[in-house]
């Protein structure tokens, strides 16, 4: 009996270990996880971190028009990192057409930071919110081509400057890419109107301070991205498998044995 109990106890431990591993794996699907940091999107209207749907190696979330959201960055490194944040192809700090060489946020080691919106000053931001493509900040400034993606380029600090005590804002080089003309964004109007973008919302307090940051390299050490669109569009593109459209699955354990017919 003792051997049986020991064997049963061992099996239970194995099951619990597997369940714990599965729970951790499921939790990881709520963000785009990198080696240096993790990127996730928090819907402020619903009060939830948006679940991530993976499709062909890309991370997607559902954006509900009208809902404010925030970008959550969490450092997984003990070193300082520069995070250049792009929303719809626009730098969230400077408003320039996004380029990795521009200004960004400095994250201290193992710290997280919530980016509430477009940076208007060292004290304020204009809230991010999901909206129609035509109302998006990118479209309203003549740059609708890259609506629907949130990206972060991460840089390590060159090891010679003492690290700042907390998060700050680092200046970047001027954008190297030429600005697109508004007329270049005219095609595919019917397709674009159905897409979801990010609007320029209400002003709110979000203080930061400027700090110096010398990059260890010109190229990002890592780049993270999360794509977003409406639920209907993601279903149409095959990113989300709509459970309503699927037939019910057979049940391996439907109940007790019934009598045969006839």
């Amino acid at each position: 009996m003792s051997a049986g109990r020991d064997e049963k106890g061992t099996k239970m431990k194995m099951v619990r270990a597997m369940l714990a591993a599965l729970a951790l794996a499921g939790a990881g699907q709520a963000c785009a996880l990198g080696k240096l940091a993790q990127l996730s999107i928090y819907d402020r209207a619903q009060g939830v971190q948006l679940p991530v749907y993976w499709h062909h190696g890309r991370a997607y979330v559902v954006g509900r028009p009208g809902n404010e959201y925030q970008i959550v960055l969490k450092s997984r490194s003990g070193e300082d990192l520069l995070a250049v944040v792009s929303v719809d192809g626009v730098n969230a700090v400077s408003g320039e057409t996004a380029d990795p060489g521009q200004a960004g946020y400095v994250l201290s080691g193992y710290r997280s930071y919530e980016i509430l919106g477009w940076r208007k000053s060292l004290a304020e931001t204009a809230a991010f919110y999901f909206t129609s493509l035509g109302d998006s900040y990118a479209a309203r400034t003549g740059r609708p081509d890259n609506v629907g993606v949130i990206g972060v380029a991460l840089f390590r600090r060159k090891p010679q400057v003492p690290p700042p005590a907390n998060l700050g804002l680092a200046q970047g080089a001027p954008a190297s890419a030429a600005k697109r003309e508004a007329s270049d964004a005219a095609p595919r109007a019917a397709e674009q109107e159905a897409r979801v973008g990010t609007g320029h919302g209400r002003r709110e307090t979000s203080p930061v301070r400027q700090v110096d940051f010398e990059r260890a390299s010109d190229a990002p050490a890592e780049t993270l991205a999360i794509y977003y669109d409406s639920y209907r569009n993601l279903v149409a593109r095959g990113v989300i498998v709509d459970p309503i459209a699927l037939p019910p699955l057979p049940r391996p354990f439907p109940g007790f044995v019934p009598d045969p017919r006839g």
Side-chain angles (χ1 to χ4, degrees):
M1 294 293 291
S2 176
R5 282 197 298 269
D6 290 344
E7 182 180 355
K8 184 177 180 180
T10 301
K11 288 182 179 179
M12 287 300 292
K13 289 178 182 177
M14 290 176 65
V15 170
R16 286 176 186 143
M18 290 176 66
L19 286 174
L22 287 172
L24 288 173
Q29 297 305 302
C31 63
L33 190 62
K35 293 180 180 179
L36 297 178
Q38 67 183 36
L39 168 66
S40 56
I41 308 301
Y42 184 85
D43 188 306
R44 300 172 68 182
Q46 299 182 81
V48 296
Q49 184 170 304
L50 294 179
V52 168
Y53 300 89
W54 290 92
H55 185 67
H56 296 319
R58 293 181 176 180
Y60 293 82
V61 296
V62 175
R64 293 190 176 185
N67 286 13
E68 289 184 345
Y69 74 87
Q70 61 196 33
I71 300 169
V72 182
L73 281 173
K74 184 175 182 180
S75 172
R76 306 183 71 214
S77 169
E79 59 186 315
D80 291 339
L81 297 172
L82 171 64
V84 181
V85 181
S86 165
V87 177
D88 295 347
V90 179
N91 186 299
V93 172
S94 67
E96 301 169 277
T97 298
D99 183 275
Q102 296 166 346
Y105 292 98
V106 178
L107 295 174
S108 298
Y110 300 115
R111 298 292 296 271
S112 61
Y113 184 63
E114 298 169 349
I115 302 171
L116 304 180
W118 307 99
R119 176 61 52 186
K120 303 303 294 183
S121 69
L122 292 177
E124 287 188 324
T125 53
F128 295 137
Y129 68 94
F130 296 117
T131 187
S132 63
L133 183 140
D135 184 51
S136 68
Y137 177 75
R140 293 173 67 186
T141 55
R143 298 168 290 178
D145 288 356
N146 295 299
V147 164
V149 62
I150 296 163
V152 179
L154 297 167
F155 294 84
R156 288 188 168 96
R157 180 191 289 274
K158 189 173 182 179
Q160 61 183 21
V161 180
N166 208 328
L167 178 132
L169 195 64
Q171 296 299 313
S176 60
K179 293 186 177 180
R180 298 180 177 88
E181 295 294 333
S183 58
D184 294 339
R188 306 187 308 277
E191 174 193 348
Q192 290 175 345
E193 286 302 316
R195 289 159 52 194
V196 174
T198 295
H200 182 281
R202 63 189 175 92
R203 297 287 188 99
E204 54 188 328
T205 301
S206 179
V208 294
R209 61 188 179 88
Q210 288 186 337
V211 297
D212 293 325
F213 189 100
E214 186 175 0
R215 306 167 197 236
S217 63
D218 293 334
E222 188 171 55
T223 302
L224 303 174
I226 291 182
Y227 297 82
Y228 68 92
D229 208 336
S230 67
Y231 180 86
R232 177 178 294 182
N233 285 352
L234 293 183
V235 169
R237 294 168 61 182
V239 175
I240 299 176
V241 179
D242 191 346
I244 300 176
L246 296 177
L249 293 174
R251 295 178 295 166
F253 301 101
F256 295 103
V257 178
D259 292 332
R261 293 182 180 178

